[in-house]
Amino acid sequence: MRRASGQIYDSYDSNRKSNIGYTVCAILCLIMVFVLAAGTIWVKKANKKEESVLPEFVRALDIGDYDEALEIYRSVHDKVVAADPDKMDELQSEIEAMTAMENEVDARLRTIEDAMCNERYEPTAEDIEFMNEMEELTSSRISQWLHDLCEDFLLGTVEKPDVIFIFDQMSQIGNVSASASPLLMEIEYIEMARGDVQSAESAYLSEDYVRAVQTYTQVSENYSGFVYDFSQRRIVEIKETMYEPMLTEGEHMLARYRYYSAEDLFSDMAIIFPDDQRINSDLLEATRNTTATESYRGTVEVLCVRTLIADISSPGSDTDYMLTSSEFRRMLEQLYANDYVLVDAETMADLSEESFITEVYLTVPEGKKPVVLVLDTFDYTASNYIYGCCERLVINDQGQVCGEYMDSNGQTIVSREAEAIGVLDAFIEEHPDFSFDGAKGVISLCGYESCFGYVISEDEIDDRNNALAAAGRPSVQFSESDIESNRATVSEIVNVLLDTGWKFASSTYGQLNAYESDMDTIVADTEKWLDQIGSLTGPVHMIVYPGGNYIYGTDERAEYLKENGFRIFFGMGSNPYYIYGSNYLYYDRTMISDSSLRNQDLSRLFDVSLVLDPESDEPSGEEQEPV
């Protein structure tokens, strides 16, 4: 019995302890709930208190109780300022309230300021009291506004009478007089500096950073005080803006053999950043590849070649009207050996004015003779396949423009050496001094059948398939997506060519005999070229007349072409010739082909025997000229 009784009491004690434990846990949980609830209530009350600050602040402003408004603001401000920086997250509502009060004051000030600037508004007694009594909330804001006003006056966006009027009105505000009075005393000096400062800003906006910095440097040397401080600040800002873009541009020029332009750019940058090692190193690279230059006023050779014969095993490769790739390469070698240098055809004309053209003399390295290269109608019509020409242009894995053709074994060949573009690019890589400042040549384009060997519009589909059929090739179907893809490919090729120094010209959309075409034909043809080809090339200023059948520059048809941006015209002639006309520059171009090498006297240029392929010594007879 005793043992049983003990078991009963043990069980009772165990149950009793368990109940006490549950009770304690329940009490602790209840306490935690009360604490959390109290905390939540406190936070809500705190947030509600902060939410009520702004309406109370606005009400105090509205009734002109500025002491009350400042007290409300300062109580929040002081709490934020005195807080531990590591606990700022806990004061988010106070910070928001303080910002809202500052914004409210700023908005009221801005209303007054805008009215004074735009309407010659004279502040009322209430306005003046508000600006005076709100002390730290208005004084710094007004001082900054007056400072900005002087900058606007310096930059020409506000005039002197308005500035004087505003300063007169603000003289009634006692808490800004200390900053306003010195500025007012400098108004005359600010007015004197306006022209130079605005000239510097104009240079900056046109991204002529060097001239902007140089102009601001001169201003700094001539003025003190407000103008000096402004100029020094702008110099620092412009330097930060110009450094990377100009450096990148200059180094891109070096990569594109534009050594003379790079030398000018880095020389200017070296003046502004005299101790910059990267700039000085780039400048040294540029100067190593430049020589003394001179103004050239003699004749200018313009040589023109068609697409090259890439596959000499092709049945029609014996044509007299084209050069082989090897002949073109040897022609470049001969021109280089005879001191010719490639120049940009557009550098002979200042086209900055739409209504007239300004004659510009060429600049060339001393002892060099200028030559312009024209690549005629690089559209890659299928009718030329028989001659062993490339079928299209492509970009290889190195980002280089290459020719693509199918050899006699049916194998597709991609090579830089297959086309004049790649041959010349490679030659200049070996002989950068053959190109003056990175100039390459002019590539003329039609729109008939294709562009660079790609059908880029529905207009070309029938013409392309007819030409393919004549060449013994199957026709091709082109969907809308195919055409868009082709346009994207052509655009990519265009961008690479432009970036590497090539320029573009029109040869009319349909390879017209322009001289015999009436006005309606010229207009329709030009509109198609601009819409389909010009939309990919960007603005084009040159036109290479097919067959040399040019329109006289004063003809109404030529006037129409000039109105559409074409102001440099290429005709045809066996000798160098150019002339400036009414808003245009005209060049004769000399065709270079196997036929002209054998039948014309080109000894002024090079030794023909060193250009012709050995197997091309005898003429092949009369044949149809390639398209």
Side-chain angles (χ1 to χ4, degrees), residues 4 26 39 45 141 163 171 175 233 261 277 297 299 308 314 335 350 362 402 421 427 449 460 483 547:
K45 286 183 176 180
R141 173 69 173 76
V163 175
S171 64
N175 56 5
R233 188 174 72 254
S261 293
Q277 294 183 356
R297 303 191 180 190
T299 58
L308 301 182
S314 178
L335 291 170
D350 181 353
L362 283 172
C402 302
I421 293 168
F427 189 83
E449 190 184 324
E460 296 174 339
I483 291 174

Side-chain angles (χ1 to χ4, degrees), residues 86-103:
D86 295 332
K87 298 182 178 180
M88 294 302 289
D89 290 344
E90 300 175 5
L91 296 173
Q92 192 60 38
S93 60
E94 287 85 349
I95 293 172
E96 291 176 359
M98 185 176 70
T99 301
M101 288 186 281
E102 292 169 350
N103 290 339

Side-chain angles (χ1 to χ4, degrees), residues 226-241:
F226 179 88
V227 174
Y228 173 85
D229 292 341
F230 178 83
S231 299
Q232 286 294 300
R233 188 174 72 254
R234 290 298 287 142
I235 289 172
V236 171
E237 292 169 351
I238 295 172
K239 281 184 176 181
E240 291 176 351
T241 300

Side-chain angles (χ1 to χ4, degrees), residues 422-440:
V423 173
L424 181 60
D425 284 345
F427 189 83
I428 290 174
E429 289 168 12
E430 298 173 23
H431 308 286
D433 55 331
F434 182 54
S435 165
F436 179 67
D437 208 30
K440 296 288 180 65

Side-chain angles (χ1 to χ4, degrees), residues 149-160:
L149 187 68
C150 289
E151 285 192 3
D152 291 340
F153 176 48
L154 184 60
L155 295 171
T157 58
V158 64
E159 296 304 321
K160 186 177 180 179

Side-chain angles (χ1 to χ4, degrees), residues 189 296 453 545 588 590:
Y189 293 103
Y296 182 86
Y545 285 112
D588 263 344
T590 300

